[in-house]
Every structure is written in C-alpha cells, then in structure tokens.
Amino acid sequence: GEPEKSKLEERPDGTVKAKKRYLIGMNLPDHEAVWHGKTALTAKASGAMEFWIPKGANRFHFVGGARFIHGGAMLQEIVVPVVTVRQVKGKAVKDTRTRAVAVEVLGSNHKITTARHRFELLQMEPVSERVKPVTLKIAVYENDEAVTNSATITFDSTSELMDERKRSLTLILQDRPYNKKTTYNLMLRDVGTGLQQTIPIIIDRAFSDDF
C-alpha cells in the first residue's frame, strides 16, 4: 500500500546511481525498507561502494517518470544530469566508461556447518554496452590453500529482474579438520583481470572439533 511506498521516496545522500530495483552509493545510511550492503566494484571504480535493494516487492519511487520526487535545487540535482550528457557526447565513451559488472554474495556472517554449502550470488545490474560480463573463479581458502572445490561462473545476464540475475553455487569441503576460530575466506577471482573479492567465512564442523 501507499505507506510502504512512502518509505522509499527519498534518495539518500551519497547516491551514485539509482534504479527502481537497486541503488549504489557511498556511505549509505541503514533503512528499515531496504537490504543494505557493501560491494567491491570490480572494474576501474575504486573505494568501497555500497548498495540498497528494496525489501519485498518494493521499488524506489524517486527514480524516473511522474513519481520523481525533486529534492529542491540541490547541487546534485543540477549537476549530475549535465555531467551525464557531456559524457554521452564525449569521444570514445565505450572505452572510458566500460567496467565489469559487480557481483555480491548474499547474506552476512557466513558459517559452513556441513560438508556441502550453498552460496547465493547476485549480479548487481544487467550487463549492457558499458557494463561487461564477468567470469569469477570461486572457492573457500585457508590462507593461500583451497579447502573446497572451485567453481567458475560467468555473470552475463541482461535481465532487469533481480531474481533472474541470482546464481546458486554449492561448494564441497575437503575431508580434513577445521577450526571454528580460524578465519577462512570465500574468494571470488575475476578470471580476466585477477582482481579478487574476499568474504570471511566461519567453518564450524562440530564433529571434527572433538578430535
């Protein structure tokens, strides 16, 4: 209903890119109506970007069309469209603005308790002329040594629907002792550039801790 919509009608400070189904920016606040997380943008963007995804069937209503809510004559309201237009008219736009699509592992405080563990990964936006597919090699590591099989997944969806850009991945632990106090890492390595995204993992195999 309307009360739900009103929660998502104000664009937060720090927004870099806003679509109806997601928002990317810096130092975003928490909000009861959204999932809030960080994403390491793989390509030429530096720094820790963050994202908002509306909970449930919500959309952001400050994006596009008649529902756009203007925040007055603030600097970003005036400048951003002008910058965008210049970039589109500029030379070699494809060369200067292409980047690999960002991929985020859904959830937080990842804990593996069984020999097989499923991870859910989200391609943060559709691939397009400027946003290129990415192929990631994924495994759990202890320091430099893999403790699971590795899987290679290409994220190349052009869908605007978030659910169609989700991928599941099952990794199988090697049969060896694990310590729940050790920090293991889920590593997502870009096969093309070698850039890596690292997510801390706890492995708590109760039966193996007894030995």
Side-chain angles (χ1 to χ4, degrees), residues 38-56:
K38 299 179 192 306
T39 178
L41 280 177
T42 44
K44 298 177 181 67
S46 61
M49 297 292 275
E50 302 181 5
F51 66 88
W52 272 14
I53 298 173
K55 290 183 180 176

Side-chain angles (χ1 to χ4, degrees), residues 81-94 96-97 130:
V82 176
V83 171
T84 305
V85 169
R86 283 182 185 157
Q87 184 64 41
V88 169
K89 288 181 179 174
K91 67 177 178 57
V93 146
K94 274 198 304 189
T96 58
R97 287 294 297 272
R130 293 184 186 181

